[in-house]
């Protein structure tokens, strides 16, 4: 095979869980060009990925820029598909283990005949996967199952990975050094989640941070989702982050503002252990192979636990993270540190 297209139109965590498949395709066909078609929300995840030849990014109408019309979005998308049709792909993988009619439509618009994906009952998929065709329970395992449609090689599932540039790492290091001095061990605490079930109170975070900083050379960087991250009308968590910082009353606790996924990746790279909720931020930290303690709410942990790195999951029968005690969280952090 010469040209292979992978389509993944979901969010940040989903694309992180697709990075082993991207690497696996390149290992199966070292001389092939691996292309990716994704939406603009998750594009920062795969920047600097050495296994991708070229990425095409389309924008959903609801994510259009303030000065961009819906018509402008659709014209921009049409131009992308004209480019894709000119490449002549040998195969396209709809890299979602559940049926996605929109991804199938995109594959057809790209002019690809050999389409691999989850069986949807709609004509057009040449290699249709039923539930029995997927291996394992985790999103990574199921997504990686698609590789067997184009290769019979026995390739082990790689880690999930993101690839910060040297410049991004250096910029984040300088930023951290200005915020925290004389700290040998850095905890990261990310306080945001789209789901109310995965949220912990500011007061609980303040107490756990006091325990984190009980050792003189331990510091904490506080992360949060800025305005518009979780949805176009989301106000962000800056106010909660500022409230948390005030409650901590320590010069070894600092707010680490981020304006992009790449800045968050750089900030996480500065941390040894990260406390956060299940979601895109957890998968990014896992892709950096960080030690993780994660609030899981009612998420299926067998399907979505961190794939790489050491981790502990905090989950209650109620699915409410507020039912997790400070002592339970601290015990997990103490075990993994």
């Amino acid at each position: 095979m010469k040209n292979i297209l992978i389509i993944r139109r979901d969010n940040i965590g989903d694309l992180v869980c697709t990075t082993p498949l991207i690497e696996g395709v390149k290992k199966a066909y070292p001389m092939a060009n691996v292309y990716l078609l994704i939406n603009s929300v998750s594009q920062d995840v795969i920047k600097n990925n050495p296994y991708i030849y070229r990425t095409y990014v389309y924008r959903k109408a609801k994510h259009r820029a303030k000065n961009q019309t819906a018509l402008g979005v659709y014209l921009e998308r049409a131009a992308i598909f004209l480019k894709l049709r000119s490449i002549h792909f040998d195969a396209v993988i709809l890299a979602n283990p559940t049926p996605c009619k929109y991804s199938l439509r995109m594959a057809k618009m790209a002019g690809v005949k050999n389409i691999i994906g989850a069986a949807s009952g709609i004509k057009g998929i040449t290699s249709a996967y039923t539930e029995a065709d997927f291996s394992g329970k985790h999103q990574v395992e199921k997504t990686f199952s698609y590789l067997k449609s184009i290769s019979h090689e026995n390739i082990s599932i790689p880690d999930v990975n993101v690839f910060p540039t040297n410049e991004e790492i250096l910029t984040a290091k300088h930023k951290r050094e200005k915020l925290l001095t004389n700290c040998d061990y850095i905890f990261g605490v990310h306080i945001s989640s789209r789901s109310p079930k995965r949220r912990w109170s500011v007061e609980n975070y303040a107490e756990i941070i006091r325990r984190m900083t009980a050792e003189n050379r331990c510091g904490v960087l506080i992360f949060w989702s800025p305005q518009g991250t979780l949805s176009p009308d989301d106000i962000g968590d800056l106010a909660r982050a500022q409230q948390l910082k005030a409650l901590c009353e320590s010069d070894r606790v600092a707010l680490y503002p981020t304006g992009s996924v790449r800045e968050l990746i750089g900030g996480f790279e500065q941390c040894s252990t990260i406390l956060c909720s299940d979601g895109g931020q957890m998968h990014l930290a896992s892709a950096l192979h960080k030690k993780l303690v994660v609030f899981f709410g009612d998420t299926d942990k067998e399907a979505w636990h961190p794939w790489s790195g050491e981790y502990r999951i905090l989950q209650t029968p109620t699915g409410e993270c507020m039912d997790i005690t400070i002592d339970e969280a601290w015990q997990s952090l103490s075990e993994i540190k």
Side-chain angles (χ1 to χ4, degrees):
M1 290 193 179
K2 182 180 178 182
N3 296 310
I4 301 167
L5 176 63
I6 297 173
I7 299 176
R8 188 82 202 225
R9 56 183 308 279
D10 304 297
N11 295 321
I12 290 169
D14 305 280
L15 187 53
V16 171
C17 289
T18 308
T19 58
L21 172 64
I22 295 168
E23 183 176 343
V25 169
K26 188 62 177 176
K27 286 181 176 178
Y29 294 94
M31 303 307 293
N33 296 322
V34 180
Y35 293 78
L36 200 62
L37 176 61
I38 58 173
N39 71 67
S40 56
V41 171
S42 58
Q43 61 182 318
D44 276 356
V45 171
I46 46 75
K47 180 182 177 183
N48 204 40
N49 188 309
Y51 304 108
I52 300 169
Y53 177 71
R54 184 165 296 163
T55 300
Y56 288 92
V57 180
Y58 75 93
R59 192 179 303 274
K60 295 181 180 179
K62 66 180 179 179
H63 295 140
R64 66 182 184 269
K66 291 181 179 179
N67 61 345
Q68 189 176 28
T69 65
L71 177 60
V73 170
Y74 296 131
L75 290 174
E76 183 182 82
R77 193 180 302 178
I80 289 173
F81 283 105
L82 284 174
K83 292 178 181 177
L84 291 172
R85 291 184 73 89
S86 69
I87 295 171
H88 304 295
F89 292 102
D90 297 294
V92 57
I93 299 174
L94 313 183
N96 190 321
T98 56
C100 181
K101 62 180 181 181
Y102 299 106
S103 295
L104 176 57
R105 184 184 303 168
M106 288 178 170
K108 291 179 178 179
M109 290 172 66
V112 190
K113 303 300 182 184
N114 182 15
I115 301 174
I116 301 158
S120 63
I122 302 174
K123 292 182 179 180
I125 299 180
T126 51
S127 182
Y129 276 53
T130 64
E131 189 60 34
D133 296 316
F134 291 107
S135 302
K137 296 181 179 180
H138 197 278
Q139 181 79 182
V140 167
E141 295 173 301
K142 289 189 171 185
T143 302
F144 197 80
S145 300
Y146 287 127
L147 185 62
K148 64 189 177 187
S149 281
I150 60 173
S151 173
H152 297 296
E153 290 190 44
N154 185 21
I155 299 174
S156 299
I157 305 178
D159 289 332
V160 291
N161 281 296
V162 291
F163 299 91
T165 65
N166 291 334
E167 182 180 357
E168 288 169 337
I169 293 174
L170 187 60
T171 298
K173 180 175 182 291
H174 289 162
K175 184 175 178 178
R176 189 262 301 168
E177 289 173 343
K178 289 181 179 179
L179 293 170
L180 297 177
T181 57
N182 300 320
C183 292
D184 295 334
Y185 196 96
I186 306 295
F187 289 95
V189 175
H190 196 296
I191 65 172
S192 298
S193 174
R194 180 183 287 108
S195 169
K197 286 180 174 288
R198 302 175 202 161
R199 295 175 191 158
W200 222 31
S201 71
V202 170
E203 292 75 17
N204 282 0
Y205 277 120
E207 175 56 33
I208 210 77
I209 288 173
R210 280 191 281 270
R211 297 188 188 188
M212 288 174 173
T213 53
E215 295 182 32
N216 288 334
R217 300 189 73 83
C218 287
V220 176
L221 294 176
I222 298 172
F223 301 90
W224 66 96
S225 296
Q227 184 174 359
T229 300
L230 301 179
S231 64
D233 58 350
D234 176 52
I235 63 172
D237 264 337
L238 175 58
R240 289 181 73 233
Q242 291 173 331
Q243 180 188 0
L244 176 56
K245 173 67 171 69
L247 288 173
C248 292
E249 299 180 331
S250 172
D251 60 2
R252 285 184 284 113
V253 179
L255 301 180
Y256 194 103
T258 58
S260 69
V261 168
R262 299 306 297 185
E263 289 183 357
L264 180 60
I265 289 171
F268 276 179
E269 184 65 24
Q270 304 305 303
C271 304
S272 298
T273 300
I274 295 171
L275 174 67
C276 66
S277 296
D278 165 50
Q281 65 271 15
M282 177 200 76
H283 292 290
L284 291 172
S286 174
L288 291 166
H289 305 175
K290 297 298 177 179
K291 295 180 180 179
L292 276 163
V293 174
V294 189
F295 297 112
F296 246 69
D298 57 357
T299 307
D300 181 357
K301 62 184 179 182
E302 288 190 333
W304 290 103
H305 65 75
W307 183 255
S308 304
E310 187 179 357
Y311 65 89
R312 299 288 187 277
I313 289 175
L314 298 168
Q315 190 172 40
T316 66
T318 65
E320 297 285 348
C321 286
M322 277 306 300
D323 292 339
I324 297 168
T325 68
I326 295 168
D327 285 341
E328 288 171 329
W330 181 244
Q331 180 179 346
S332 292
L333 285 164
S334 301
E335 290 172 354
I336 205 168
K337 179 176 178 292

